[in-house]
Amino acid sequence: MDPQELKQGIAELYDESSGVWEDIWGDHMHHGFYNPDDQVSGSGSDHRAAQIRMMQEALRFAGISEDPEKGPKTVVDVGCGIGGSSRYIARKFGAKCQGITLSPFQAQRANALAETEGLADKVSFQVADALEQPFPDGQFDLVWSMESGEHMPDKRKFVGELARVAAPGATIVIVTWCHRVLGPSEESLQPWEMKHLKKICDAYYLPDWCSTADYVNLLESLSLQDIKTADWSQYVAPFWPAVIRSALTWKGLTSLLRSGMKTIRGALVMPLMIEGYKKGLIKFAIITCRKPE
C-alpha cells in the first residue's frame, strides 16, 4: 500500500469507527491494563478503569513524577484519538497538550469534548501527520504515543520526529503493538506468522510490523538515553475478548452495521489479535526513553 493510500485508509477507518467506539467504550481508544489475577467482569466500567490504569502505568514506567508540580507542562499526543490521553494528562498535571491525528472526525470530536469539559484552554487537536509533525524542534517535555506506532509506515521517521519535537531532558513514551523479537538464527518471521499479521494489517491499515528490539535500535541510533522496554501482553490479555463481547451485544451489532465496511472488517479480524497474543507472535510493548539534556 503506498503511503498516501495508507494515510487515507487510516483517516477513513477512524472517521468511520470512532463514534461507535466512544459510544460503547468511552473516550480512551486503547487497550486496558488488567491485573492477570483479577476476574474481569463484563461491565464497561471495569474496562474503562483498565484503560485509565494503562495511562497511569505508562507514566509510572516512564518515571514521570506523580507530583503535579514536577510533572510535564507541555505534551504532544501523537495519534491522539478523540483526546482521552491528552485530557487525562492535562487534568493530572495542569499541562498544555497538543494532539495530532489523521482523522478529521477525531480532531473535531476531541476539540468538542475539550470544550464541554472546560479544558479548551489546556488541550487542542489538529489533523496532522506524525511523520511530519507541525511543531518546532524541542517543544515538548512529554512526547506521548499511545498505540499509534503500529500505523507508521516509516518507523525510523516516526521515532525521529518524536525525538525532534522533544525538549532536552524530555521523556518519550511509546506504547505499541509489535511482533515477537526474532531469535539469533532467524532472518524473518515464519511464513504462517507473516500471513497472520498480513490479515490484521489489511483490516486495520497497518504497514509492516517491527519488534521491540527494532525500536530500541532506532532509539539508540538517535542517542536517546535511559531506554527501557517491557512486554505487557499478559496485562492486556482480557482486552480483545471484551471488545468482541461488546461488539456482539445488540447495541454493538447495530452500531457496527451502521458504521460501515471498514469498521466491520476490523471487527472480523479481532479473533486474529487474540490468537496472535496466545501464540506469542503479537506483543504489547511499552518503550520509554529520555532525550539528552
Side-chain angles (χ1 to χ4, degrees), residues 5-235:
E5 202 182 324
L6 182 70
K7 268 168 70 168
Q8 192 180 339
I10 293 167
E12 287 171 0
L13 172 68
Y14 286 110
D15 279 351
E16 192 183 276
S17 64
S18 295
V20 180
W21 182 273
E22 184 188 0
D23 204 23
I24 297 172
W25 277 71
D27 59 353
H28 296 293
M29 302 189 67
H30 56 77
H31 281 63
F33 188 102
Y34 303 84
N35 182 336
D37 303 326
D38 287 354
Q39 280 301 315
V40 179
S41 81
S43 86
S45 60
D46 268 19
H47 299 299
R48 287 175 194 183
Q51 288 173 310
I52 288 169
R53 203 175 310 122
M54 172 61 74
M55 295 182 292
Q56 291 167 336
E57 291 294 334
L59 290 165
R60 185 175 302 141
F61 184 84
I64 305 282
S65 169
E66 280 287 299
D67 179 353
E69 289 303 300
K70 295 186 181 139
K73 289 294 165 263
T74 50
V75 181
V76 62
D77 184 353
V78 178
C80 59
I82 55 173
S85 294
S86 291
R87 288 190 297 281
Y88 175 82
I89 291 168
R91 277 204 190 90
K92 188 175 174 72
F93 299 109
K96 276 206 181 293
C97 300
Q98 296 194 59
I100 57 173
T101 170
L102 289 174
S103 159
F105 174 90
Q106 286 187 336
Q108 199 176 347
R109 183 69 188 129
N111 282 319
L113 286 166
E115 189 74 47
T116 307
E117 294 174 25
L119 286 168
D121 59 328
K122 287 279 183 212
V123 297
S124 65
F125 304 93
Q126 60 181 300
V127 175
D129 186 346
L131 302 183
E132 291 171 21
Q133 292 191 37
F135 308 115
D137 297 1
Q139 188 167 349
F140 302 101
D141 50 22
L142 174 62
V143 175
W144 176 269
S145 166
M146 177 63 75
E147 292 185 52
S148 63
E150 53 271 22
H151 281 301
M152 306 298 167
D154 184 338
K155 301 290 190 278
R156 178 174 294 282
K157 207 168 172 192
F158 168 55
V159 168
E161 277 293 88
L162 298 181
R164 180 184 70 75
V165 299
T171 301
I172 298 172
V173 177
I174 304 168
V175 179
T176 188
W177 315 350
C178 289
H179 66 59
R180 65 177 178 82
V181 174
L182 298 177
S185 61
E186 288 183 299
E187 291 287 303
S188 66
L189 293 170
Q190 293 169 30
W192 77 264
E193 292 176 312
M194 297 209 273
K195 209 159 135 190
H196 189 99
L197 291 181
K198 184 173 183 333
K199 287 179 188 161
I200 296 171
C201 290
D202 290 348
Y204 290 136
Y205 292 91
L206 304 175
D208 289 346
W209 293 47
C210 70
S211 70
T212 314
D214 296 328
Y215 268 109
V216 170
N217 290 337
L218 288 173
L219 296 171
E220 284 175 344
S221 74
L222 294 164
S223 308
L224 293 159
Q225 297 173 342
D226 305 336
I227 301 168
K228 281 201 317 180
T229 71
D231 174 4
W232 280 0
S233 305
Q234 62 167 335
Y235 300 112

